[in-house]
Amino acid sequence: MFDFVRNHMRKLQFILLLLILPSFGFLGLQGYKGMSEGGNLSLAEVNGQPIKQSEWDAAHRDQVEQVRRKMPNADPKLFDSPEMKKLSLENLIKKRVMLTAADKLHLSLTDERLQRLFATDPQFAAIRNPDGSVNKELLAAQGMSSEMFAARLRQEMSTQQVLSGVSATGFASKVAAERAVDAFFQQRQVRLQRFDAAGYVAKVSPTDTDIEQYYKDPAHAAQFQAPESASIEYVVLDVDSIKKDIPLVEDDLRRYYSENKARFTAPEERRASHILISADKALSADARAKAKAKADELHDKLVKDPGLFAELARKNSQDQGSAAKGGDLDFFARGAMVKPFEDAAFTLKVGELSAVVETDFGFHIIRLSDVRGGVPRTFEAARPEIEAEVRQQLAQARFAEVAEDFTNLVYEQSDSLKPVIDKYKLELKTAQGVTRKPAAGAQGPIASAKFLEALFSSDVLTGKRNSPAAEVAPRQLVSARIVNYEAARVMPLADVKDKVRSAVALTQAAALARKEGEARLAQLKQTPQADVATEPRLVSRVQMQELGQPLIDAILAADMTKTPAVVGVDLGPQGFVLAQIDKVIGRDPVAADTARATSQYAQAWGEAEAQAYYASLRNRYKVQINEKVLDKALRIDTPEGR
C-alpha cells in the first residue's frame, strides 16, 4: 500500500534509506569513534562529543561502497553530490545518537544473551562453527578478531533496541486503518477530455524575440547544455595483446598434439541405405513374424542381385523419408541411429549387405555405401590450430602476472602511457567526445561505467595522470589519459536555434491548450449536468493506467458531495486534461489486499512514531551541526570548489 507514498520520495533519499541504513550496524560504530582523533574539523556534536571530518569521510566512503555493490550502474556524480554527503553526515549523526541513547538507557546486551543470539539467529549461520562458536578464520579474512566482532554485534543489538520498542508497538485504530485502506483502493468512474499541447503547435509561430528570451532564461539553460566531454588516448591489456609475443617450443607443440590427438580426428561417419519393413513391438507375434518373413524374402533377392537394392527400397520400404531416394540415409555418425542399426552399419564394409536387423521400428536390410572421417590429421595439417590453442592457454596463464605489473606501471609512471606501451607492445588508441556516462551505442572500454568513473576522477582530470587500470571485461584492463577536456557548457544559440524554436513552440502550444482547457472547466462548473462525451473508465491509486500521478491525485482528491465533480490538471508542456468524476465505486476487488494493507498501515504508524522518538532524542542529546564548517567542506570537495 505504501509503495505509493514511497514513490514520492526523492530518489537519493530512497537509495540511502533502502540500501545504507540497514547496513550501518554491522559496519560497526567503534571504528568511527576510533578515528575521531584524526581529523581537525568538527562538523557536528552529539551530547558534547565532536564528529570530525575524518569520521565523516570514512562513513561516506563506506556508504558509497554499499550503494555501488548494490547499484553498479549508478551515476558516479551521485556519490560526489553535496546532498549525498549531507545525508552521509546525517546517517553518522543518527548512529552516534543511537549509541548515546543505548548507553544512557542501559540497553547493552549481557554476554549470555549475546551468545544465545549468535547461536540461534540464522543470519550468522555462515560464520558459525558446528559447536556454536564463531569461525575465526572467516572473521580474520574480514580484518576482524572475535572480540571485535562481539563488540560490534553487541553495539548493533543495543542500538536496535532504542527504536524497536517504539516501532514494534505502533498502533493504528481500526477506524483510521479502514479509512486509509479504503481511500487507497477506492475506485472512481471518470470521463477525460484532453487538450494535448502537440495538437496546438500548428497554431503558434514563435518570433526571434521569443526564441532569444527563452534561450537566455537561466531556467532553460540545462536544455541546451553540452555535457562535459574529453578526448582521450588509452591502452588495452588483454589475452590477445599478450599472446602475440609468447614464444612456442616445438616439443611442447608436439606433446600437445599427442595428448589431444582425438580432437584433431574427424569422427567416422558412414553412409548407408536401408529397406524397412515396419513392425511395432506392440504387434502380435504372428504379425511380427509376417514382417520378418517379408524382410527375409527381400534379403534373399538382394543376395542374388545386389543391384536391385534401390528399386526394391522404393517399392517396399516403409520408411517414407528414404524410400523415394532408394533407401539412402546419407552420412551419419555414431549415436544418430538406434543401437542395433548402428552396430550393424559400423561393422559393414563398403558395398556389403547386412543380415536382417531387428529394431523397435521393425526389420531392416542395410547396405553400406561410403565411409569418411576417422583418420587423424597430421601434425603439420593441425599445426596452425595447435599453435593458436597453446598460445591462448599460455597467455591466459600469464595474464594475472602481467595484469599486476600493468596496474603498477600505469600508476607508478602516471605521467605517460608510453612505458606500458613499450613494455607490452600495446596499441595506443584514441576516442573523442567521451562523457561520464556511456553514450548510446558505445562499445568497448568507453561503454564501461567503471572505466569512465576512473577516467573522470580528479587525479586524472585535473592532475593529468593515467587513469587507474580498470577491468572492463574478464581478462581485459584499460588505462587512459585525457588529452583534451571540455567542461559542460551552454551551446551557442546559433547551434541550437531549431531546438529552442521547438521548445518555445511547445511552450506556447501548451499555454493555448491550458487556456482552452480552463475555459471548458469553467463551463462545466457552471453547468454541472453537462457531459464530457468520452467513454467512462474506472481508476484508483492502484489501477492508475496511463494517467500519471498528478491526474490521479486530483481525481481522488475531488469533493464528491455533489456529482458529477469536475477537476482540471495542468500537465505543463504536455497540455491540460479535464476529468469529470461521475461516481465513487468501492474497493477494487482484484487489487485490494486488505489484510496486507492494514498491516502496512500499522507498520507505517510504528515507523512514524519511531522517527518522532528519534527527533526527541536528537533534542535530548543536543545535536549541533556546524553549518559554516560543513558548507566549506562541501565546497572544497566538489568539482566547483576545487
Side-chain angles (χ1 to χ4, degrees):
M1 169 181 174
F2 292 96
D3 289 343
F4 169 77
V5 179
R6 287 192 290 268
N7 287 338
H8 286 71
M9 293 183 180
R10 293 183 304 170
K11 288 184 179 179
L12 190 57
Q13 291 174 317
F14 179 80
I15 292 171
L16 288 173
L17 290 173
L18 185 62
L19 302 178
I20 296 173
L21 291 179
S23 65
F24 87 88
F26 189 77
L27 290 173
L29 303 177
Q30 191 61 39
Y32 297 134
K33 185 176 181 181
M35 289 184 287
S36 63
E37 304 299 328
N40 294 322
L41 294 176
S42 178
L43 296 163
E45 284 188 2
V46 177
N47 200 38
Q49 297 298 313
I51 293 178
K52 300 292 185 68
Q53 173 133 18
S54 58
E55 296 179 80
W56 181 38
D57 291 341
H60 182 67
R61 284 195 301 270
D62 286 336
Q63 293 179 349
V64 166
E65 187 58 32
Q66 290 286 327
V67 176
R68 279 179 173 159
R69 281 200 293 265
K70 293 180 180 292
M71 302 177 62
N73 296 322
D75 184 356
K77 281 187 175 180
L78 175 68
F79 305 137
D80 292 328
S81 68
E83 292 80 10
M84 179 80 165
K85 291 177 181 292
K86 285 182 179 180
L87 285 169
S88 294
L89 179 60
E90 282 296 329
N91 194 26
L92 184 54
I93 289 171
K94 184 173 184 178
K95 296 172 188 177
R96 184 68 63 82
V97 170
M98 293 296 101
L99 274 175
T100 303
D103 179 58
K104 298 289 186 182
L105 298 172
H106 307 292
L107 295 176
S108 179
L109 273 70
T110 64
D111 291 341
E112 293 76 10
R113 186 177 175 191
L114 191 68
Q115 177 60 39
R116 185 167 62 253
L117 174 70
F118 176 76
T120 57
D121 197 317
Q123 68 174 310
F124 303 121
I127 58 173
R128 195 165 56 218
N129 291 323
D131 63 357
S133 62
V134 66
N135 189 320
K136 294 183 178 181
E137 292 182 1
L138 287 178
L139 291 183
Q142 300 178 41
M144 283 193 296
S145 65
S146 57
E147 291 77 13
M148 291 171 60
F149 173 74
R152 293 186 178 187
L153 180 58
R154 189 191 307 276
Q155 208 167 67
E156 178 185 0
M157 295 298 103
S158 297
T159 55
Q160 281 184 4
Q161 292 182 94
V162 175
L163 294 181
S164 62
V166 177
S167 61
T169 57
F171 173 77
S173 70
K174 184 176 181 180
V175 173
E178 283 293 315
R179 287 179 178 175
V181 172
D182 184 65
F184 188 76
F185 290 115
Q186 181 188 95
Q187 301 175 99
R188 294 191 174 190
Q189 180 178 293
V190 301
R191 300 172 188 268
L192 302 178
Q193 185 174 355
R194 294 185 178 276
F195 299 84
D196 294 323
Y200 293 81
V201 171
K203 299 179 181 181
V204 300
S205 181
T207 65
D208 288 343
T209 301
D210 294 333
I211 292 171
E212 187 172 359
Q213 288 178 346
Y214 190 94
Y215 172 78
K216 290 182 177 179
D217 187 339
H220 303 146
Q223 298 179 39
F224 315 114
Q225 181 170 290
E228 62 177 333
S229 63
S231 296
I232 68 169
E233 55 185 23
Y234 65 96
V235 291
V236 178
L237 179 76
D238 55 16
V239 172
D240 288 341
S241 63
I242 294 174
K243 72 182 182 183
K244 63 179 182 289
D245 293 322
I246 288 182
L248 298 176
V249 179
E250 183 73 13
D251 288 346
D252 291 340
L253 297 178
R254 291 188 177 275
R255 186 182 307 110
Y256 185 84
Y257 171 75
S258 177
E259 293 173 352
N260 297 275
K261 204 166 188 177
R263 295 184 51 247
F264 304 108
T265 302
E268 180 181 336
E269 293 182 318
R270 297 205 159 200
R271 185 169 192 169
S273 299
H274 81 138
I275 297 172
L276 170 66
I277 304 301
S278 296
D280 189 88
K281 285 286 188 183
L283 291 177
S284 64
D286 289 344
R288 287 185 62 81
K290 290 180 180 178
K292 174 69 165 56
K294 176 66 174 178
D296 289 338
E297 179 185 348
L298 293 172
H299 185 268
D300 291 342
K301 290 182 179 179
L302 290 171
V303 169
K304 295 177 181 178
D305 189 353
L308 294 175
F309 195 98
E311 179 183 347
L312 291 178
R314 280 190 285 270
K315 291 180 178 179
N316 298 279
S317 180
Q318 293 169 329
D319 176 7
Q320 296 180 358
S322 65
K325 297 182 291 185
D328 183 29
L329 296 170
D330 209 338
F331 282 99
F332 55 88
R334 286 190 178 275
M337 302 294 183
V338 293
K339 195 170 189 314
F341 189 102
E342 177 186 291
D343 290 344
F346 275 83
T347 57
L348 295 175
K349 297 178 181 179
V350 174
E352 191 174 5
L353 190 72
S354 73
V356 174
V357 178
E358 182 179 0
T359 72
D360 289 346
F361 300 101
F363 299 94
H364 308 256
I365 305 168
I366 307 169
R367 185 182 66 179
L368 187 65
S369 308
D370 200 358
V371 177
R372 68 182 182 189
V375 179
R377 283 182 286 164
T378 64
F379 172 77
E380 288 72 21
R383 187 182 188 109
E385 186 177 341
I386 295 170
E387 288 184 352
E389 291 181 8
V390 171
R391 187 171 274 121
Q392 179 76 12
Q393 290 181 9
L394 292 173
Q396 288 177 343
R398 192 183 172 204
F399 181 82
E401 174 190 345
V402 175
E404 183 177 0
D405 188 54
F406 175 90
T407 301
N408 293 336
L409 195 55
V410 297
Y411 174 77
E412 293 166 357
Q413 300 189 38
S414 60
D415 58 344
S416 173
L417 292 171
K418 191 173 186 304
V420 79
I421 291 174
D422 291 343
K423 184 168 184 177
Y424 294 111
K425 298 180 177 59
L426 301 177
E427 177 187 356
L428 183 65
K429 300 182 180 183
T430 61
Q432 287 75 43
V434 180
T435 58
R436 281 186 184 262
K437 288 186 177 181
Q443 296 181 342
I446 60 175
S448 167
K450 186 176 181 180
F451 167 68
L452 294 176
E453 181 183 352
L455 179 67
F456 282 92
S457 65
S458 58
D459 277 353
V460 179
L461 193 58
T462 60
K464 301 187 182 302
R465 301 178 184 276
N466 297 337
S467 70
E471 186 175 13
V472 298
R475 294 193 180 95
Q476 187 177 76
L477 295 177
V478 180
S479 179
R481 294 181 62 79
I482 291 180
V483 178
N484 185 49
Y485 172 78
E486 289 189 66
R489 66 202 184 282
V490 176
M491 293 181 283
L493 177 58
D495 294 346
V496 294
K497 192 168 185 178
D498 288 343
K499 186 176 180 180
V500 179
R501 180 181 287 108
S502 296
V504 174
L506 189 60
T507 301
Q508 293 178 346
L512 282 181
R514 182 168 55 254
K515 183 178 180 180
E516 288 197 19
E518 290 173 344
R520 175 63 170 156
L521 176 63
Q523 179 187 16
L524 287 174
K525 285 184 176 180
Q526 290 177 357
T527 56
Q529 300 308 315
D531 186 25
V532 175
T534 57
E535 289 296 320
R537 60 168 72 183
L538 292 180
V539 299
S540 71
R541 287 187 173 86
V542 178
Q543 304 293 336
M544 292 174 58
Q545 302 180 36
E546 81 290 353
L547 303 188
Q549 199 65 55
L551 180 55
I552 286 291
D553 287 344
I555 291 171
L556 292 168
D559 182 3
M560 297 301 294
T561 54
K562 293 183 179 180
T563 56
V566 184
V567 296
V569 178
D570 183 358
L571 299 180
Q574 297 176 3
F576 189 88
V577 62
L578 183 148
Q580 177 179 289
I581 306 103
D582 296 330
K583 56 184 175 179
V584 176
I585 313 291
R587 298 177 186 177
D588 184 340
V590 176
D593 185 346
T594 303
R596 182 183 176 190
T598 303
S599 174
Q600 288 180 324
Y601 182 77
Q603 182 181 350
W605 266 112
E607 291 174 357
E609 291 179 2
Q611 290 301 316
Y613 180 55
Y614 169 66
S616 72
L617 291 176
R618 281 178 63 99
N619 291 331
R620 181 185 304 177
Y621 300 122
K622 298 180 175 59
V623 172
Q624 295 181 350
I625 298 176
N626 192 328
E627 297 291 351
K628 290 184 179 180
V629 174
L630 177 60
D631 288 345
K632 184 178 179 181
L634 290 172
R635 285 197 301 273
I636 290 173
D637 204 35
T638 57
E640 294 79 4
R642 293 189 185 105

